[in-house]
Structure formats: structure tokens, C-alpha cells
Amino acid sequence: MSGVIVSMRRTLLSCTSLARNSLLGGALAALLPAEPAEAADIVDTLSILLDYNRQELAGLATALALLGFTVVAAIMLMRTRVRTAKNEAALRARIRELQLQTDRFGAMLFAEPQVLISWPAGDDRAQISGDVSMVLPRDSSPQRVLAFGTWLPPEPALQMDHAVDALRDRGDGFQVTLTTANGHTLEALGRAIGGQAIVRIRELSGLRRDLAETNLRYKALSDETEMLRGFAAAAPWPIWAKGENGALTFANPAYVRATEANSVTDARERKLELLDSADRTAMERGLKDAASFSSRLPIVTGGERRIYDVRAVNVGSGSVGVAIDASEADALSAALVRMAEAHRRTLDQLSSGVAVFDGQRRLAFYNDSYRRLWDLDRTFLDANPDDSSVLDKLRAARKLPEQPDFRAWKVKLHEAYRAVEAAKDTWYLPDGRALSVVTSPNPEGGVTYLFDDVTASLELARRFDGMIRVQRETLDSLAEGVAVFGSNGRAQLFNPAYVRMWKLSHDAMREEPHIQTVEGWCQQLFDDPTVWRQIREAITSIENRADVPLKLERKDGSVLDGMIRPLPDGATMLTFLDITDTENVERALRERNEALETADQMKVDFVHHVSYELRSPLTTIIGFAHFLSDPSTGPLTPKQAEYLDYVTKSTNALLALTNNILDLATIDAGAMKLELGPVDVSKTIELAAEGLQDRLATDRIRLKVEIASDVGSFVGDEKRVVQVLYNLLANAVDFSPQDSTVGISARRTERSVVFIVTDSGPGIPADMKDKVFNWFESRSQGSRHRGAGLGLSLVRSFVELHGGKVQVDSVVGKGTVVICDFPTDQAVHRDAAE
């Protein structure tokens, strides 16, 4: 015990300084007298009584103070815990009350099937409650409700997406009626409540459902009505509606136009009718008796009489009618009747026997060749006998092939009535004839029999076999080497010349070697791998089969002219001809030709030089001719004026010819430069036609100009384009007969402007088409003017200088068409030329 006291005293001593300055020390001081002297006396007294010094006494006071504080704190803690327990009990009671309220409200809210979707403020994840099976299959995730496209048609799904986005972004409420893909009617209501976006989807029932369905039906009927009204307004056929009293209640614009009224009201007030009185009476009678009327009637609209299919039916208490223009159909029907009659007349002219049996197997048509083929009585055929009766009659007359079971043969023949494709057979008649019989099922039912006497054809086939043998002998006697390789690449046919030409073994070729094997044998004479690869590919390829010419210079110095020619059966024929002697002659001729071309060039150069030298004196003559024709130089006698006019015309023609020659010479020399700029197509054609007005008037020829609205202009040398069009028109006028028409048209394509000049002249023979653009190529036949033959040469030169092309299409006796194609972008042409 003394040890504990000592320890306590040591502890109290260590806390002396704390006790002096602490709150407890202050509290002890508060218990002591206020005067310091009195306090000191009290402390001393206590120290003596308890045998404690001052420090120990202070520690004891501190301990007592701590003990008191602990007791007070414990008491306050107990009171606080009691108060907290009471608050917790009250809160639990409140929670139970709120839970009851929530359950009650939930029961009220979900008393009917519905889905509730809410988005708390600032949260993108939706909270979904309710019966999602109303719109989704069972066991589906509730979040799939937001995928509106899975349970709504596309248009309502898109409407819901937009409505939900507007609700969440701006708080815009909505209320829409939806019809699911399963046909259920739902109502979706969206509101922003308490900082949340809430969407409620519920199934309508009872009166609300009936009202919603009524609204939907009303909207559908309204849309349908608007659509029908729009269709009636846009329809080109007159459509009208009349009331019970026969008064006009509706008419579309086509009806108004057909009756020549100003409006529907005008047609109603003036009681304008589309049909005449007799046809209206017939329509009213038909509507009264059969509730409908249909007839093809003539109607006069816009001063023109046309045929219409008129249809009218009773609808409700009134009637509705439509008149469809059937003029074209009526004309086509008449044309079809005429065509059918023409076909019948044509079939009567055929040498093949034709018999058409209808769906009831009765004879509907026969031609005279059929009657003569079987020698049948026309009265019997005109009675429309059935197919079986015709066959029985022919069998009784012993005109059909003998059959061991005629009934089975006839049944097999009549299978053509149920077939979908034509069948072909050959009958060998007792009289020695052979007939080719084609049974073709008709689309509308029945069968068409075609009988051809092929007795001569079979005889020709036998003769053909003989000719094949003769051809084989002929092939063997040819000097040209021939070999035929099949589609499998193996040799099928060859002649002795081929074997000798390539020094091959006749027995080895009989074994049908492959082309690769034959190539190995032939490489001792010709070993160019490129040519042999070309031959192999031509023989074994399936597509792009075309003639391929070959020219082989072999090691022995010989030259072979070859050809790879595909045959219709998939085989390929190789032909080789030794042209060594011809090649030598050709070389000599080529050298001679080059000398001739040099001489021709010298001739052209001479013409160029002479033309150039002619311009100066011609210019002088023309100048003095104009000077003499000027009244200021003095009067001329009529004869002098006539002679001067001849001189002027002749010198002008000679100058034009000289200019043309110089232009061609400049182009040939590569010195011609185009002055490029915008070329107005309409203006260019007009300028080209100005110089032809006198000739057009003299020859009574009409110039027809057709310019597309979008042709516009293009980049080119306007002067040269006018010169091209003038020469083409002049050539067309020269070759066109009097009182005819010369046409010029212009149109624009994606990359060019195309001019087309047409005439109805004598045309150009096939052997002249390639020569019309040559120098001095003049064809006087059919022309009223003899020219030098340079106009078309200039046309081609100037068009090609622009980067275009000229094409001539002509039929002898029907006229000529010249097509000039000018590119619209000269920069592209210059780049390509460079």
C-alpha cells in the first residue's frame, strides 16, 4: 500500500505544474477562499491533516476534479443515448409509414399495366419499373424498353426518340398514342417532375382506347382521303362524283379541262357534262339496274374526238365515275386485228404446213399448205374438228406412219398440250416422204403443229456427207498447210502439206499429239517462244477467240504466212502458206512504192509552189476587176459588165481554190496554228449558211437547222469551224436534188460538241467512202457543181487539227450523213498531242 501511495505521490508531483495552470487548479482555487492568505492557510491546514505537501495536495485535487468530470460526462452520455434511441424509434416509425405510403402509391400506380422510366437530374442511366412484358418478350432486359425500334414501327420509334431527347434536354413534355408492332395501342406520357425526366407508357383500354383508336382511324382516313384527292387531282383522266340527285359534287382538273369549264364550281353551276345525252342515259340506266356501268365511248375534248373507257359505280347514295383515254389502246386493238389477219395471210403463203389447235383441242386455224400436205377436204377442216378426229382420218387414209400401238402413239403426241417447250420429231410416211414435225404449246392454251417436208433435206444431208469426203480429199491436195486442234489442245486434223512444211512424222501426227508436243517438234525450224505462246493461248483459250494473223521467218530462210482461226465447235485451225517468193516480190514493190510516194510528194510540193505563186497575180486581177466595176471609173456597156462579172467569179473561185491548197500545204507542213477562242455554235452555223443562200434559193433546197438548247459554245478557231461547216453544207447542197432538205444539227456530249450534216442525195458507194477526204478527189455523179475535190480534205484536216474526228455514214440512193466531233477542251488535246 505504501508503494502505491508513493507511486501516486510521484505522479501527483509530476503533475504539479499542470495543476497550477490547469482548469482543475482553477476549480480548486475557486473552492478556496478568495484571499491569498486565507487560501494559503487552508492549504497548510490540509497539508498538516493529511500529511501532504502542497504538490501532493494539488494532485489530489486534480484527481478529484477528473473523477467528477467523468461522472458528469457519463450521466450526460446516458441521457444523450436515451434521447437518440427515442429519435431512432420515431424515425423507424416514420420510415414504416413512408414505406406503407410508397406501397400504396405503387399499388395505385401499377394497378393497370404500364412502364415507368425516369432519369434523375445529371444521370444518363434510366430507372425502369413496371410491367416491361407489355412491350417486350418475357425474360428481356428492362433497358431494352429504350430501344424503341425493337417494339415499335420505324416512324413511331423515331418520334419517341425525338420526344425523349426533347424532354431530357429542354424539359418539353409530350403525350403520344402509339401502335406497337404487335398491334397493341399504347399511350406515352412524358413530364419533367422534381428535377427528373419521367416517361410513363401504359396500355389504353376502355373509352380511352376507343378514343385513341378512333383518332388513329380518323388520321388514317384523313391521310387516305388526302392521298386519294391528290391522286385524283394529278390523274390525267377525268374523274367525277355525283350525288343522289345526279348533281355534280366533285370533279378533278382533268374533268374541268375536258368539259372546257373554268373551275369545278363553274362546271357544277353550268351543269357541264362529259358525255352526251344518249351516253348519260345509258350510264344512268346501267347504274340503276346493275349498280355499275362500263363502256368504251367517244368523247369530244378540246375539239378532238377521242375514245375513252368510261367506268362508273354506285357509292353510298351517289356514284363515282372515271374516263380513261383508250384512243391508243383502241388503235392498237385495231392494229392487232389487222396484224393477226396479216399473219394469217402470211402463214397461208408459207410452204410449211401450219395447224393451230385451241385449248379444247379443236382446229382453230390451218393454212393452205397444211391442207395440200395431207390432201384434206376444206369442208372437213372448216368444221373445226378436234385433233384426235384429224389423226383418225389421216390414219384411215394410210397417210400416217405405221404404228404398232396407234392409241399410245396418239397419247404421247397429245402430251404437247401439257408441255412447256416445243418438241420436234420426224415422221416417215408410207408414200416415202419424210416430215419434220414441231409441236409448240401456245401461251393461251393449245398446240401449233408445223409440218415441213424434209425429204429433200435428208437427201441433201447424204450429199453433204459425200461432199465432206470430197473436201477431205481437196484438203489433202492443198499446197497450204492446215492443222485443226481441238479444244483440248490435241491435233484432230492435218493435211500432208502441213506435215511436209514442218518436217513432221505422219504417223506421229495421227496419234493426236498436244500442241506443246508439236511445238517441240517444230522448234528446229522456228523457235520464237513469244509466237508459240500466242499459238498455244489461242488454241486452249475459251474467251476472246478471234482470228490471229502470223508471219514467221524461219531459220532456213523461208517465210510463212499463217492464220489462227477459231472454229464454231471450239476447235482452232492453223494454216500456213509458204510466201517466200511473194515476200521477195513484196520487198521489190515496197521499194518501188517508196519511190512513187517520193514522186507524189514532189507533185504536191509543185502544186503548193504554183498555188503560192498564183496568189499575187490573182490578187492583182481581182483588184483591177473591182476597180473596173466601180462606177467612178466610168460606165460600162452591158456586155462589158457581163464579161467583168465572169472574170470576177472565175478569179474568186481560183483564189478560193488556191487558198484551200495553201491551207492544206500549211497543215501538211505542221505550220498551221489555230487562233483559239470561244466559238458560239449558233453564230457559227449562221455564218456558214450565209454564203449558201443564193445556191439554196436557186436549187429550191430548204436548210433545216436543229441546235440543242444546252450546246452553248466551245473553245476552237471560229474561222476554221465556219470553213468546215461551209464546205460540208456546200457539198450537201451540191449533191441534193431540187426541192429537198439539207439538215445541220448540233448537240453537246460529255467531252465534245458534235455537228451533223445530212442530205438526201445519191449517197456514196462503199468503195468511195475511204477516198472522199483525199486531195483532188471529186465525184461529179449526182452533183450540179464540179469542184476541185479539196473541200472535204480541208474538213478532215481542220477537224483533226482541233483534235476531233470526222465520220461519214452513207447509203446509196438514200443520202449521206457527215458527223464532226470537236472536243470542248483544247487544253487536254494539246497536252495529249505534246
Side-chain angles (χ1 to χ4, degrees):
M1 184 67 180
S2 60
V4 174
I5 294 174
V6 171
S7 177
M8 290 179 61
R9 291 177 67 183
R10 188 181 297 113
T11 302
L12 290 174
L13 289 174
S14 64
C15 296
T16 302
S17 60
L18 176 63
R20 291 175 181 173
N21 301 313
S22 65
L23 179 61
L24 295 177
L28 183 59
L31 295 176
L32 297 176
E35 293 296 331
E38 293 178 359
D41 292 341
I42 294 173
V43 170
D44 292 340
T45 304
L46 289 174
S47 298
I48 294 170
L49 292 175
L50 297 175
D51 196 15
Y52 291 151
N53 56 26
R54 285 180 176 268
Q55 289 79 6
E56 292 175 342
L57 188 60
L60 179 61
T62 301
L64 292 174
L66 289 173
L67 179 61
F69 175 77
T70 302
V71 172
V72 173
I75 294 172
M76 294 179 66
L77 178 61
M78 292 294 292
R79 294 182 64 185
T80 302
R81 294 183 70 176
V82 171
R83 193 164 50 249
T84 303
K86 290 181 180 180
N87 290 338
E88 184 180 359
L91 290 174
R92 288 182 181 277
R94 180 61 177 166
I95 290 174
R96 286 195 297 272
E97 182 180 352
L98 291 175
Q99 186 65 45
L100 290 174
Q101 273 189 334
T102 301
D103 294 341
R104 186 167 60 256
F105 290 152
M108 294 174 61
L109 183 63
F110 297 110
E112 57 181 342
Q114 59 181 321
V115 178
L116 195 65
I117 309 171
S118 63
W119 288 271
D123 191 356
D124 290 336
R125 182 170 179 81
Q127 298 178 3
I128 302 174
S129 58
D131 186 9
V132 296
S133 63
M134 181 176 62
V135 294
L136 295 174
R138 294 189 179 275
D139 300 329
S140 297
S141 173
Q143 292 296 327
R144 287 183 58 81
V145 173
L146 297 177
F148 300 114
T150 60
W151 53 277
L152 285 176
E155 185 176 353
L158 185 61
Q159 182 183 6
M160 280 294 296
D161 284 332
H162 291 167
V164 170
D165 290 341
L167 173 65
R168 296 185 59 195
D169 294 341
R170 301 185 300 273
D172 297 341
F174 64 88
Q175 182 177 1
V176 295
T177 302
L178 307 172
T179 301
T180 66
N182 297 328
H184 297 291
T185 304
L186 306 177
E187 180 187 54
L189 180 66
R191 294 290 184 270
I193 303 173
Q196 298 188 40
I198 298 177
V199 176
R200 184 172 66 170
I201 302 172
R202 61 180 178 177
E203 186 172 6
L204 296 178
S205 61
L207 183 61
R208 288 191 303 171
R209 178 176 180 176
D210 294 341
L211 180 60
E213 292 178 349
T214 301
N215 288 334
L216 291 175
R217 285 197 298 273
Y218 169 76
K219 185 177 183 304
L221 291 174
S222 177
D223 294 341
E224 183 179 353
T225 302
E226 289 299 321
M227 180 179 65
L228 292 177
R229 283 183 173 274
F231 170 76
W237 320 294
I239 301 175
W240 67 90
K242 293 185 177 181
E244 186 176 5
N245 58 355
L248 187 68
T249 59
F250 170 80
N252 69 340
Y255 184 93
V256 174
R257 291 192 299 270
T259 57
E260 300 181 358
N262 297 325
S263 62
V264 178
T265 304
D266 181 43
R268 187 184 300 115
E269 292 176 352
R270 292 167 57 190
K271 297 182 179 180
L272 298 177
E273 295 287 348
L274 189 68
L275 306 178
D276 58 23
S277 58
D279 293 335
R280 288 201 308 274
T281 302
M283 183 174 68
E284 291 172 358
R285 187 183 305 112
L287 292 174
K288 182 179 179 181
D289 297 340
S292 64
F293 174 79
S294 177
S295 179
R296 178 166 289 182
L297 303 174
I299 299 176
V300 178
T301 61
E304 182 182 2
R305 183 177 182 274
R306 300 184 66 83
I307 304 298
Y308 282 81
D309 282 334
V310 180
R311 304 282 190 274
V313 293
N314 288 334
V315 179
S317 59
S319 62
V320 177
V322 59
I324 301 176
D325 192 347
S327 302
E328 184 177 356
D330 188 69
L332 289 175
S333 178
L336 183 62
V337 172
R338 293 193 299 271
M339 185 180 297
E341 186 61 30
H343 285 173
R344 287 178 177 271
R345 291 195 299 270
T346 302
L347 291 176
D348 279 336
Q349 303 302 319
L350 292 180
S351 60
S352 300
V354 180
V356 180
F357 290 85
D358 58 20
Q360 286 72 39
R361 301 188 181 184
R362 304 195 70 84
L363 183 64
F365 170 80
Y366 67 93
N367 66 350
D368 196 55
S369 297
Y370 175 81
R371 184 188 63 78
R372 293 196 307 269
L373 176 67
W374 298 110
D375 192 21
L376 293 172
D377 184 51
R378 190 180 296 276
T379 304
F380 169 74
L381 295 177
D382 291 340
N384 303 112
D386 59 21
D387 195 351
S388 183
S389 299
V390 174
L391 293 176
D392 290 340
K393 188 176 184 64
L394 294 176
R395 179 174 180 245
R398 295 186 57 80
K399 295 180 180 180
L400 290 179
E402 294 294 337
Q403 302 293 335
D405 189 347
F406 180 74
R407 179 173 297 180
W409 177 82
K410 186 166 60 174
V411 169
K412 183 178 180 180
L413 180 65
H414 287 168
E415 289 178 357
Y417 286 93
R418 298 184 298 274
V420 295
E421 295 182 353
K424 187 175 182 180
D425 194 7
T426 302
W427 293 356
Y428 296 95
L429 306 184
D431 59 2
R433 292 180 299 169
L435 293 184
S436 173
V437 182
V438 178
T439 55
S440 177
N442 301 327
E444 66 277 6
V447 171
T448 298
Y449 288 91
L450 299 177
F451 298 94
D452 281 306
D453 190 341
V454 295
T455 308
S457 299
L458 294 178
E459 179 63 26
L460 288 175
R462 287 191 290 271
R463 292 182 181 180
F464 177 75
D465 291 338
M467 291 178 61
I468 290 295
R469 291 192 294 271
V470 172
Q471 288 178 355
R472 175 67 189 185
E473 296 296 331
T474 303
L475 186 65
D476 288 346
S477 62
L478 286 177
E480 186 177 13
V482 179
V484 176
F485 291 83
S487 58
N488 58 357
R490 293 187 171 275
Q492 295 179 343
L493 179 67
F494 61 93
N495 66 346
Y498 180 83
V499 174
R500 290 194 305 270
M501 190 175 295
W502 289 101
K503 299 180 181 180
L504 302 175
S505 169
H506 193 278
D507 295 335
M509 290 296 295
R510 283 184 178 276
E511 296 179 0
E512 298 185 358
H514 195 269
I515 180 60
Q516 290 183 341
T517 305
V518 177
E519 174 188 347
W521 296 339
C522 297
Q523 282 186 349
Q524 58 181 344
L525 294 175
F526 184 77
D527 58 357
D528 188 341
T530 303
V531 176
W532 284 114
R533 183 172 64 253
Q534 184 181 16
I535 295 175
R536 288 197 309 271
E537 291 177 354
I539 292 175
T540 58
S541 64
I542 299 176
E543 300 178 352
N544 301 324
R545 292 172 57 80
D547 290 353
V548 179
L550 299 172
K551 189 173 184 180
L552 313 180
E553 295 185 7
R554 302 195 299 184
K555 296 178 181 180
D556 58 0
S558 61
V559 180
L560 300 184
D561 186 11
M563 175 67 71
I564 305 174
R565 175 157 295 170
L567 300 179
D569 60 352
T572 304
M573 181 174 66
L574 295 182
T575 60
F576 295 100
L577 180 64
D578 192 338
I579 59 169
T580 306
D581 297 335
T582 305
E583 186 70 15
N584 294 332
V585 174
E586 183 180 351
R587 291 193 186 99
L589 291 175
R590 190 180 299 111
E591 294 173 357
R592 180 182 178 87
N593 184 62
E594 290 174 356
L596 291 175
E597 288 180 353
T598 303
D600 184 66
Q601 184 62 38
M602 293 175 62
K603 179 188 69 175
V604 172
D605 293 340
F606 172 76
V607 172
H608 293 171
H609 181 71
V610 170
S611 300
Y612 183 79
E613 294 298 330
L614 283 175
R615 291 189 68 177
S616 297
L618 278 175
T619 303
T620 303
I621 295 172
I622 292 172
F624 280 110
H626 283 295
F627 176 73
L628 291 175
S629 63
D630 193 339
S632 62
T633 60
L636 298 175
T637 65
K639 203 66 176 177
Q640 290 174 335
E642 181 181 358
Y643 291 158
L644 186 60
D645 184 57
Y646 290 156
V647 170
T648 302
K649 290 182 179 178
S650 298
T651 54
N652 286 336
L654 186 56
L655 181 61
L657 176 61
T658 303
N659 289 334
N660 288 343
I661 293 175
L662 290 178
D663 285 341
L664 287 172
T666 305
I667 294 173
D668 283 348
M672 175 67 72
K673 300 293 183 182
L674 296 178
E675 298 179 3
L676 298 179
V679 178
D680 187 299
V681 174
S682 301
K683 179 182 176 183
T684 304
I685 294 177
E686 182 179 351
L687 292 174
E690 282 182 1
L692 296 169
Q693 297 303 321
D694 293 341
R695 293 165 66 177
L696 292 172
T698 302
D699 297 331
R700 301 192 303 277
I701 294 177
R702 187 170 68 91
L703 179 62
K704 181 179 180 182
V705 181
E706 295 180 351
I707 303 175
S709 58
D710 62 341
V711 69
S713 62
F714 66 98
V715 177
D717 189 331
E718 183 178 19
K719 176 183 176 182
R720 301 307 181 186
V721 176
V722 170
Q723 193 171 353
V724 167
L725 299 182
Y726 173 81
N727 286 332
L728 289 178
L729 289 173
N731 188 73
V733 170
D734 290 345
F735 284 92
S736 295
Q738 292 185 345
D739 300 317
S740 62
T741 300
V742 170
I744 180 171
S745 62
R747 58 184 174 85
R748 177 178 287 272
T749 64
E750 184 178 357
R751 296 186 177 88
S752 62
V753 172
V754 181
F755 294 93
I756 303 174
V757 177
T758 60
D759 64 62
S760 54
I764 302 174
D767 59 341
M768 289 291 296
K769 282 186 180 180
D770 296 333
K771 301 178 181 180
V772 294
F773 292 108
N774 295 340
W775 286 30
F776 305 108
E777 189 66 44
S778 178
R779 185 168 55 89
S780 60
Q781 182 180 3
S783 173
R784 291 179 297 277
H785 303 279
R786 176 69 178 180
L790 295 177
L792 292 181
S793 299
L794 280 173
V795 167
R796 183 176 66 178
S797 297
F798 284 138
V799 172
E800 291 179 351
L801 199 60
H802 279 82
K805 58 183 179 180
V806 182
Q807 177 183 348
V808 176
D809 293 330
S810 182
V811 178
V812 176
K814 295 186 178 180
T816 303
V817 178
V818 182
I819 303 171
C820 294
D821 193 318
F822 287 90
T824 55
D825 191 349
Q826 287 295 317
V828 174
H829 164 60
R830 288 197 298 274
D831 293 341
E834 293 173 359

